[in-house]
Amino acid sequence: MQVHTLENMDHEATPVQIGEPFHCWECGSLDQGGMFLIIDHSPLEAYANHVYYMRLACGHNPRCVRLGDAIAPLRPLDRSIDENLACVRDGLAHLAPAVPPDRQNQEPVSKIVYLLVAGRSGPAIARVSLKRPAVDEWGLMLQLGSDTGVTGMEAASDALYLSVLRAGNISLVRVPYSAKQDIMREDLPFSGSVRLYPQDPRVPGALMMLSSWTRAPSIYRFEPKGSRVIHTDLWPAGPYDDPQNLVAVNATALGTDGALVPLTILYEKGTERDGTHPTLLMGYGSYSILISPVYSPLWRVWLDRGGVLAFAHVRGGGEYGSLWRFEGLKVGLANRYHDFLTCAQYLVDQGYTSPDRLAGMSGSAGAILVGGAITERPDLFRAVVIESGLLDLRRFQNTA
């Protein structure tokens, strides 16, 4: 990315470069003061990335604070940027004056930026002073494990709120600004998926959407006073949003290499494990993408007729954080469809279905998953469904 300004506005606007060009992978949004974050990556052979907190000044060089040096070296195993810096957030930067001054360093919080950084040991929240932005001056507020992911972070007046992923389920974590208060994993009405909405940093608490495999999405608010989760009625419940006749089972299938592969199974109450049920097994396993717990009324067409739906959370996805993803990359690519086969065999062994009633389904990069599975074990499936699949990558450039 190159930073430009427009001059001679009375005539034809001409872009003029100001400052050095950035190799920009991700740019944060502008705040009220015109400041924003830029992720700048150095050439890949340097294995280094940088984050800048910048203000553009028209006709002058940008006012820029560099937050540390090479904060997340690119790993030789995988040079993709998403596991290193795609999780950077601008935290409190734009509306931080609503938060009380930082007591430890007696600085207004508007001089503090909170960054969510994906590192080798797992996601971490760093507290960065714009007056002392070097990495060795960063304060570590929270360190999560390598089997954990963070799907969202929002700033309120009382704390940072994170949606934290582990084993396919997402929980709400409250990280107070004061070190004297405990970091809490808050209790939710049910287990499933949490999506944080943008917060007003002048207001305490968090607004979020909750859903599960058997409950339609709805909007809730977390109130820090009393640690209460309140239904807002902003999304009124429909008559079919909470079906009582559906069952969601979170199982674990043991792979041939000892990996424990999460498997979600949906069916109607009263379904017998007699091996007779048509079963659709789905998965993806690419780009750290998580198959989130979410309910769709369309599934009732299948489930009400005695069918079984299953979701294989294979390696290459994001269910157990960055480590789970890396085990499905490159030399570990076969782990994806081996995990899929493990889940398929589990469904047969546990009596949910039989090979002549089992189908696999995926699309795009997930075609590697089901394509590899049916190629290696054609006896285990009656059919597979591949949507917009990437199968023959040697000829991919010749396809539409």
Side-chain angles (χ1 to χ4, degrees):
M1 185 197 78
Q2 293 185 340
V3 182
H4 291 80
T5 185
L6 296 180
E7 297 185 348
N8 302 321
M9 297 300 291
D10 293 335
H11 307 286
E12 183 179 354
T14 303
V16 178
Q17 181 176 332
I18 55 175
E20 296 298 320
F22 287 88
H23 306 278
C24 184
W25 283 92
E26 180 175 331
C27 298
S29 59
L30 284 167
D31 63 32
Q32 287 186 340
M35 300 288 285
F36 61 96
L37 289 177
I38 284 180
I39 304 172
D40 171 50
H41 79 93
S42 298
L44 289 178
E45 59 270 14
Y47 297 108
N49 304 281
H50 308 288
V51 175
Y52 295 85
Y53 192 55
M54 172 179 286
R55 183 191 307 278
L56 295 183
C58 210
H60 301 84
N61 287 332
R63 175 188 167 192
C64 182
V65 178
R66 179 157 157 168
L67 306 181
D69 185 17
I71 67 166
L74 291 169
R75 285 170 275 193
L77 177 63
D78 177 28
R79 296 180 177 183
S80 64
I81 198 70
D82 57 318
E83 277 301 318
N84 292 277
L85 284 175
C87 287
V88 172
R89 299 290 185 267
D90 55 354
L92 278 183
H94 48 298
L95 289 175
V99 184
D102 177 71
R103 296 177 180 178
Q104 180 179 356
N105 294 291
Q106 297 300 312
E107 294 180 357
V109 182
S110 56
K111 301 296 185 182
I112 302 297
V113 174
Y114 294 90
L115 297 180
L116 174 59
V117 181
R120 293 174 182 268
S121 302
I125 298 178
R127 177 187 175 281
V128 183
S129 168
L130 297 185
K131 290 184 177 180
R132 299 183 300 276
V135 169
D136 56 4
E137 297 281 355
W138 290 14
L140 182 65
M141 293 183 66
L142 177 67
Q143 176 68 65
L144 298 169
S146 60
D147 61 346
T148 305
V150 175
T151 60
M153 182 175 87
E154 294 294 337
S157 66
D158 59 306
L160 295 174
Y161 286 89
L162 279 68
S163 49
V164 176
L165 162 72
R166 190 175 187 278
N169 286 313
I170 304 176
S171 57
L172 178 69
V173 174
R174 180 176 180 268
V175 184
Y177 301 120
S178 172
K180 296 180 180 179
Q181 300 181 34
D182 293 333
I183 296 172
M184 297 293 293
R185 189 180 298 268
E186 304 294 347
D187 293 331
L188 298 175
F190 51 88
S191 176
S193 180
V194 179
R195 176 186 172 188
L196 290 171
Y197 287 109
Q199 308 296 315
D200 184 343
R202 299 167 297 183
V203 178
L207 190 68
M208 56 194 164
M209 183 181 72
L210 303 183
S211 62
S212 77
W213 293 110
T214 59
R215 297 182 68 160
S218 195
I219 300 176
Y220 292 77
R221 176 159 189 84
F222 175 78
E223 295 288 351
K225 187 176 182 179
S227 296
R228 297 180 301 153
V229 178
I230 303 170
H231 194 287
T232 64
D233 290 325
L234 293 173
W235 191 332
Y240 307 106
D241 282 359
D242 187 14
Q244 299 300 307
N245 63 330
L246 297 186
V247 177
V249 174
N250 292 318
T252 303
L254 179 62
T256 55
D257 63 349
L260 297 176
V261 185
L263 173 64
T264 302
I265 309 168
L266 304 181
Y267 54 88
E268 261 199 334
K269 287 182 179 179
T271 298
E272 297 183 5
R273 297 193 196 177
D274 54 11
T276 64
H277 303 285
T279 299
L280 184 60
L281 175 62
M282 292 177 276
Y284 191 68
S286 295
Y287 309 119
S288 292
I289 291 175
L290 164 71
I291 302 178
S292 300
V294 63
Y295 168 70
S296 171
L298 295 176
W299 296 343
R300 297 295 298 271
V301 178
W302 181 264
L303 298 172
D304 288 351
R305 288 163 173 75
V308 174
L309 280 177
F311 300 88
H313 306 284
V314 303
R315 281 173 282 188
E319 281 77 2
Y320 281 106
S322 59
L323 182 60
W324 193 249
R325 185 215 172 189
F326 279 113
E327 289 185 357
L329 282 178
K330 298 186 178 180
V331 294
L333 185 66
N335 288 333
R336 301 186 194 182
Y337 54 83
H338 287 161
D339 288 352
F340 196 76
L341 290 171
T342 293
C343 292
Q345 191 64 57
Y346 179 93
L347 293 169
V348 173
D349 293 344
Q350 296 298 314
Y352 288 100
T353 190
S354 56
D356 64 341
R357 293 178 175 268
L358 176 61
M361 181 175 178
S362 193
S364 190
I368 299 172
L369 185 76
V370 294
I374 198 170
T375 300
E376 188 162 311
R377 286 289 308 275
D379 59 302
L380 192 53
F381 299 91
R382 181 67 177 268
V384 297
V385 180
I386 299 176
E387 299 177 312
S388 304
L390 303 180
L391 288 166
D392 189 354
L393 295 183
R394 291 180 181 272
R395 300 170 58 193
F396 179 60
Q397 73 275 11
N398 297 324
T399 60

